[in-house]
Every structure is written in structure tokens, then in C-alpha cells.
Amino acid sequence: MTELNTAPVITIDGPGGSGKGTVSRLLARQLGWHFLDSGALYRLVALAAIHHSIALGDEFNIKTLAAHLDVEFESDEVDFEARIWLEGEDVTETIRSEECGQGASVVAALPSVRQALLARQRAFQEPPGLVADGRDMGTVVFPAANLKIYLTASREERARRRHKQLNDKGMSVNLQRILGELAERDARDSARSVSPLKSAPDAVVVDTTTAGIDEVVKRVLVEWQARS
Ligand code: C5P
């Protein structure tokens, strides 16, 4: 076995707004590990498809796009808010739009697109370790992960968080609309035939509805210390 795939992995899966992104970044920072934002890859595929006028359901062309995605994560080891470049353009903020989120969930339901992104995601597993954030990190991408966490929260709380997040970024959005879009995205992510959103049988499930971020990070670190 090479050194590359013996680096420890902690997977953080769960639906949008469960706190995955924030918890994963803080965790990676505290441990001094690498960080994989797998959702960003699906968002990038959706954005590239929009740029190239490829229909989101055109599996052959979307898969080809995913396999050859010209993307660069400008890593920032301080706050892990890396700048993301797609075909030479800084799309860090653009991919966070609801349009890219919805598009991501459409292309993510295409089996060959998921397959095309597999190796790219696994390449993030490097010493000293990796925190991987997504929907299928523990079930499909890193099934042998050292620790698997599944975060949940009520849909209302998740919508409220996303609303605040977008507002903080200066995007004006309606809470009811976010709630509707979240329900739509949850349904599509959970119902798809490949890698549906579900907790791995060996994952630790943490409900974040009323828990603060620091509390959740602490809980994950305790789980990690118990295993290492
Ligand atoms: O986490 P984020 O909201 O950025 O993910 C956008 C979409 O990408 C999700 O709704 C989901 O459909 C898809 N996704 C996925 N598998 C992952 C990460 C994201 O299917 N590992």
C-alpha cells in the first residue's frame, strides 16, 4: 500500500445546511489536515455545463465535461476558504448560488458523472490526513474511512442557516423559497439510484438542530481521539 492511501480520513456527510461545510473546515484546521469540499466539484460541473450550453440531463457530454474539468483549488491553509478557478475564471462566489446548487444536484444524479469524479476526490487523501465533506464520502468515496460522521438538522433550521449564509454574502433570497428548494434538493439527493444521500451504517449520527458549531466540532474530535 502506498503512503498516499494510508493517510487517515474523517468523512462528514449530511444534507445541505446541516453544518457539514463549517464543521469540516474547522476540523481540518484544528487537525492540520487537507480538506475536500466534494459539493464544490458537482457545483463546478453544473457551472461548466451552463457556460458551455450543455443541457444538465445530457449525460454523455456532462460526463465528458466532469472527466476533463479544468479546475484549480487555490488552497488556503489558514481558513480553508480556498479560491476556486474554473477554466481560468475565479468562480468562488458564483458556484455558491442556488442555481449552481440545484444544477449540482441534477448532474450529481448521473451515474457516469459520479464515476468521473471519483479519482479526483480520492486524490485528496494525502498525509497528514483528510476531512472530506459531502453526501457519499463515507458510503462510496472513502468506505474505509477511519471515522464517519453523519450530520442532520431539521429542514426549517437548515433553510434558516442557508438563508443567513446567502444574506451574509450579499445575496437577497426569500426564506420560503429556500425551504422549497431545499425540500426539492433533499428529495432528489435521497431518491437517486447511485450514491443516494444516506448515513453509512458505521457512521456516528449527530443532530445539529440545536447544537452550536463548536459543540459539534468538539464531539467529532472526541470521537476521533477515541479511535486514534
Ligand atoms: O454540499 P453542496 O450543497 O455544495 O452540494 C451541492 C449538491 O451536490 C448536493 O445537493 C448534491 O446533489 C451534490 N453532491 C453529491 N455528492 C457529494 C457532494 C454533493 O451528490 N458528495
Side-chain angles (χ1 to χ4, degrees):
M1 206 183 255
T2 64
E3 194 190 5
L4 191 75
N5 48 31
T6 55
V9 179
I10 298 178
T11 57
I12 313 275
D13 288 305
S18 59
K20 289 177 294 124
T22 314
V23 168
S24 306
R25 279 183 178 82
L26 285 172
L27 211 53
R29 193 193 303 171
Q30 292 208 14
L31 292 166
W33 288 9
H34 300 281
F35 168 63
L36 165 63
D37 173 3
S38 62
L41 288 173
Y42 291 95
R43 288 172 180 267
L44 285 160
V45 173
L47 184 61
I50 295 167
H51 282 174
H52 292 282
S53 306
I54 298 172
L56 295 181
D58 177 351
E59 183 160 5
F60 179 80
N61 282 311
I62 300 272
K63 173 207 69 177
T64 308
L65 202 60
H68 301 284
L69 206 59
D70 171 11
V71 55
E72 210 180 306
F73 289 85
E74 195 184 314
S75 82
D76 176 343
E77 303 293 323
V78 178
D79 61 8
F80 290 89
E81 287 289 350
R83 298 221 69 82
I84 303 175
W85 301 79
L86 175 67
E87 295 164 354
E89 185 190 339
D90 184 347
V91 296
T92 315
E93 276 83 33
T94 316
I95 60 161
R96 299 297 159 198
S97 69
E98 201 47 44
E99 186 190 12
C100 283
Q102 288 292 338
S105 122
V106 174
V107 299
L110 304 171
S112 60
V113 172
R114 303 199 72 85
Q115 184 63 33
L117 292 178
L118 216 45
R120 201 186 278 262
Q121 295 175 84
R122 288 182 176 154
F124 279 79
Q125 184 183 0
E126 280 191 81
L130 172 69
V131 178
D133 156 3
R135 303 289 193 289
D136 61 341
M137 298 296 98
T139 51
V140 176
V141 183
F142 301 105
N146 306 67
L147 172 62
K148 301 177 184 181
I149 302 288
Y150 189 85
L151 299 186
T152 60
S154 72
R155 188 171 291 147
E156 288 68 26
E157 175 60 17
R158 292 189 287 121
R160 201 192 55 74
R161 289 176 189 166
R162 195 158 287 259
H163 183 248
K164 180 173 181 315
Q165 208 174 37
L166 293 173
N167 263 342
D168 287 349
K169 287 187 176 154
M171 299 180 198
S172 147
V173 276
N174 173 287
L175 182 60
Q176 279 312 311
R177 185 165 162 203
I178 291 189
L179 197 56
E181 286 172 343
L182 213 52
E184 203 183 304
R185 193 126 66 95
D186 283 352
R188 194 159 45 223
D189 289 350
S190 305
R192 69 183 174 223
S193 60
V194 279
S195 303
L197 170 64
K198 64 165 192 231
S199 123
D202 50 349
V204 177
V205 179
V206 181
D207 188 330
T208 72
T209 307
T210 57
I213 290 293
D214 291 343
E215 196 182 321
V216 180
V217 172
K218 213 177 280 174
R219 168 85 198 276
V220 179
L221 282 171
V222 166
E223 295 286 348
W224 171 243
Q225 274 147 14
R227 283 167 175 76
S228 59

